[in-house]
Amino acid sequence: ELQALSRTDLFGRYEQLLDAPPPKGLSRPLLCRIVAFETQAAERGGLGLRLRMQLRSIADENGTISPTVHLKSDARLVREWNGVSHVVDRVGNGFSYRGKTYRSLSA
């Protein structure tokens, strides 16, 4: 049903469910997923207590996310995006990507 809605109608559903306008630049597929999740959560209940507690434990008091998984040196992360494979290696105190070393995955 959501796939058939116009972008304007999806915005309306988003605002109705979340009591806020959607962020600017939100893609239509992501907008559909958010509306679908929020609709399902409203009908069947939101996230379970255990998962909510786990998510809260990830975020510290500053609201930033603390890593819960520590990668050992020589770990390799491989992801494909838009048909291109991206390989990141854990090296020493950083991450190697395309011949350059970064302090964090975010960098």
Side-chain angles (χ1 to χ4, degrees):
E1 175 186 335
L2 293 176
Q3 296 296 331
L5 292 179
S6 70
R7 188 169 179 81
T8 303
D9 290 338
L10 283 171
F11 276 15
R13 290 247 183 129
Y14 183 104
E15 290 178 353
Q16 179 184 14
L17 291 163
L18 296 165
D19 293 325
K24 292 181 180 180
L26 199 61
S27 71
R28 191 176 195 294
L30 183 56
L31 185 60
C32 282
R33 287 186 189 108
I34 293 169
V35 170
F37 174 82
E38 293 298 337
T39 301
Q40 189 174 23
E43 291 173 359
R44 299 181 185 160
L47 300 174
L49 177 61
R50 184 175 176 188
L51 182 55
R52 284 194 317 253
M53 288 173 39
Q54 184 179 8
L55 291 172
R56 279 192 200 115
S57 73
I58 292 171
D60 66 17
E61 57 274 353
N62 296 330
T64 59
I65 296 175
S66 305
T68 56
V69 177
H70 298 282
L71 297 174
K72 294 180 181 178
S73 195
D74 298 330
R76 175 170 276 184
L77 303 171
V78 181
R79 296 290 182 267
E80 184 176 325
W81 187 67
N82 285 343
V84 177
S85 289
H86 298 273
V87 179
V88 176
D89 292 313
R90 177 76 163 112
V91 291
N93 290 331
F95 298 89
S96 175
Y97 177 67
R98 293 186 176 173
K100 292 179 78 176
T101 301
Y102 301 89
R103 282 185 23 196
S104 69
L105 286 171
S106 300

